[in-house]
Structure formats: structure tokens, C-alpha cells
Amino acid sequence: MALHRMASVTIGVPNVAETTAYYAEFGLTETAPGRFATQDGGEQLILRHAPTRQLLAIEVGIDDEDDLGRTAESLTKLDLAVSKSADALSVREPISGFDVTLRVMPRLVQPVQPPTPYNGPGRVERPDTRAPGILREGPVRPRKLGHIVVGSVDKEATQRFFTEGLGFKVTDEAKGLAAFMRCSTDHHNFLVQQSPLNFLHHTSWQVDDVDEVGRGATAMLEDHPERHIWGLGRHHVGSNFFWYLKDPAGNFSEYYSDLDCVLDDQVWKPGMFEGIKGLYSWGPPPPPSFLQPEDLAALMTGTHAAR
């Protein structure tokens, strides 16, 4: 695959200062006003002022200029206007209107982290010491931006833009609802779901293990229980542990760990999932506000305000 990483996301919010403080507390490192880096992925989140919360742009890593040329041809076949330079290509997604830039950049090579030792029946990986998850004291720091989820009024058109136009691959689908697509070896980097309006549902950020998912969310909720949306749980599609929180603009942000990886397209068999399996394997039931965020009606009528 010529594509190799979800490089960054730009989000528009009406309350930049308040939302900036949230993502600093979430564990991202502010590199400049409204710009944030992860531990391994570099600068991956940009916040800009907008009248309502919205996805403004994403950037995707691609291997070389030849790959840009082939992608430009694919997008032109979809009757989309493409702007191309020596090392980048930009195009506007035709349904929601956010900008997508493919940029030639090195592949992300994350430092190998030693596996978390877990004791089990007949298997003692952690003799004579307490679990590392209860000994950690520092703040949780996300490793990289994992994926972005949007609602689209025309899921099929958005999906076609990403697959036929950009070259993303479909890993799995929730029947009649959503497509999980990837531009890397991660199970998914972009998910589109059918929706009554176009909106950003959530961004998802990788942490080391399930203990970091729990520690991160617990710290975020200590003084702000209203941030809680859904978790702790484990998804069926993608297999990852999750916990979802809400930023001050109304966007959801997810801590995740242990996501499926697709190293060989010939081995992985895409699935079609229905009902509960399309949402989760275990955990508390998803609240209605996860499936239909509470501000959707306000976004549809133009009366949205930061929460």
C-alpha cells in the first residue's frame, strides 16, 4: 500500500482556548498555539476557530511522488478537482467538504515497547512484583493518532472517495451502517457511518495498553465527570479496548489500545457485522448520546454552541 499513515487532523471549534486546554490535559503536547504532538507521531492535531465543531482537514502519508500521480488520476476519474505539487496532493471530500492532503513523508516507525507482563493460569510473566499498571504515576501520553470517525449523509459516496479515489482499503463493515477503512496496517484509520448530517464523531488516540486507557480516562474524569461518554469496553470490530470522552466543543476523543493489525491483505478476510457486534464485545451498553450525539439537532438547525 502506497499510503502508510494517518498523519494529522484539523478540527474547527467555536471555543479554541477551552478545547486547547482539554487536549493538553488529554496528554497531547502543545507545540504552538492550537497545535499538538503525540509521543511517536509528531504534530497530529490542529485546532482552529469555526462557528460550529467540524472536521476541517486530514493529512495522510504516502510513499513517493509516483504514488501521488496515480492517486491524482483516480480522483480525476471521480470528477474531483485536484491540486498537486512535488510532494503533496490536495482534494476536497465531496460530501462533507473537508480537505484531504496526501503528503510524501517517511513511514512512522514506532519504538518497540516491551509487552506488558500479565499473569495467567499456568503462566507467570510477572513473578514477585506488582502489576506495572498500578505502579505508574506519570500522565498518560498518547503514542499516535489512530483513526477518525465521521457521519456522512451519503456514506457510499464518502466511502467511494476514500477507496476508489484515495486508495484506502475496507477492512470490515457494519451492515448498512459503517465502513472501517485503512491507509496503514492498523485495522482502521478512517470510519464513515450513515448519518442525517455530516459531522465529526470522534478522533482516536493510541496508548500502550488497557491500563493506560483506564488511567487516562480516570484522570480526565476526576474533576469533570460530565466528560464521560462510554467505556471501559472492548470493540468486536477492531478488537481494541476503548474509553470515549467529550471535549468542550462536543467532539468525542477516544483512548484505545490493542487494535487489530493487517499485515497481509491475502490473510485478512473482511467481515460484515450486524447488531451489537458492530459496536462492542463487552462493556457497558453504548448510551444513546454515543450513537446520536446530543448536539446533532443543534448542528442541523444552526443553533449549535460549545458545551
Side-chain angles (χ1 to χ4, degrees):
M1 181 185 285
L3 304 175
H4 57 77
R5 62 178 295 202
M6 182 61 70
S8 70
V9 59
T10 301
I11 303 173
V13 297
N15 50 345
V16 175
E18 191 178 359
T19 307
T20 293
Y22 172 92
Y23 284 102
E25 188 178 348
F26 189 78
L28 303 181
T29 300
E30 190 169 14
T31 55
R35 306 178 76 93
F36 293 88
T38 57
Q39 281 199 87
D40 300 337
E43 194 172 84
Q44 295 199 279
L45 173 63
I46 301 168
L47 298 176
R48 292 181 180 163
H49 182 267
T52 61
R53 68 178 187 88
Q54 57 191 278
L55 176 61
L56 296 179
I58 65 173
E59 187 175 60
V60 179
I62 196 168
D63 281 328
D64 56 47
E65 187 177 353
D66 289 341
D67 296 322
L68 286 178
R70 285 188 287 271
T71 304
E73 292 177 4
S74 298
L75 291 165
T76 300
K77 290 178 181 178
L78 296 178
D79 295 323
L80 296 172
V82 176
S83 174
K84 185 176 176 297
S85 65
D87 67 346
L89 173 158
S90 295
V91 62
R92 180 154 292 181
E93 191 275 336
I95 307 303
S96 299
F98 56 86
D99 294 322
V100 178
T101 297
L102 305 187
R103 189 175 303 281
V104 176
M105 61 179 65
R107 293 192 171 225
L108 175 61
V109 179
Q110 293 185 273
V112 176
Q113 300 300 313
T116 305
Y118 291 106
N119 292 334
R123 187 188 76 252
V124 179
E125 297 179 358
R126 195 185 66 248
D128 307 318
T129 186
R130 303 184 195 280
I134 68 168
L135 299 177
R136 297 169 188 160
E137 296 181 350
V140 170
R141 300 292 186 192
R143 293 284 178 180
K144 68 174 183 178
L145 169 65
H147 57 266
I148 298 161
V149 174
V150 302
S152 171
V153 297
D154 190 340
K155 168 194 167 290
E156 297 303 323
T158 297
Q159 181 176 336
R160 186 164 56 251
F161 167 78
F162 274 90
T163 55
E164 296 180 17
L166 299 179
F168 279 56
K169 296 183 179 181
V170 175
T171 311
D172 285 314
E173 294 187 71
K175 189 174 181 179
L177 177 64
F180 298 75
M181 298 176 285
R182 67 185 188 277
C183 63
S184 72
T185 57
D186 287 348
H187 177 274
H188 57 285
N189 302 103
F190 196 90
L191 184 151
V192 58
Q193 61 186 36
Q194 187 64 40
S195 172
L197 80 161
N198 302 313
F199 76 103
L200 173 63
H201 188 277
H202 73 267
T203 58
S204 187
W205 305 85
Q206 182 194 56
V207 293
D208 287 355
D209 55 27
V210 65
D211 282 299
E212 295 301 87
V213 173
R215 288 200 325 116
T218 299
M220 290 292 288
L221 296 173
E222 184 174 358
D223 296 322
H224 295 277
E226 74 282 357
R227 292 171 172 172
H228 173 73
I229 295 297
W230 186 28
L232 172 73
R234 187 161 194 151
H235 286 304
H236 186 93
V237 184
S239 301
N240 52 294
F241 296 105
F242 66 83
W243 201 319
Y244 295 90
L245 306 166
K246 183 169 66 174
D247 75 21
N251 305 296
F252 299 160
S253 58
E254 176 190 16
Y255 290 118
Y256 82 90
S257 69
D258 193 25
L259 184 72
D260 290 336
C261 290
V262 181
L263 302 183
D264 189 335
D265 291 334
Q266 302 304 312
V267 175
W268 183 269
K269 303 301 180 185
M272 182 72 71
F273 298 91
E274 298 184 65
I276 288 298
K277 284 189 175 180
L279 290 169
Y280 70 124
S281 178
W282 59 258
S289 60
F290 178 80
L291 303 173
Q292 294 287 335
E294 294 172 348
D295 64 350
L296 286 196
L299 287 170
M300 293 177 71
T301 59
T303 57
H304 173 271
R307 293 170 183 260

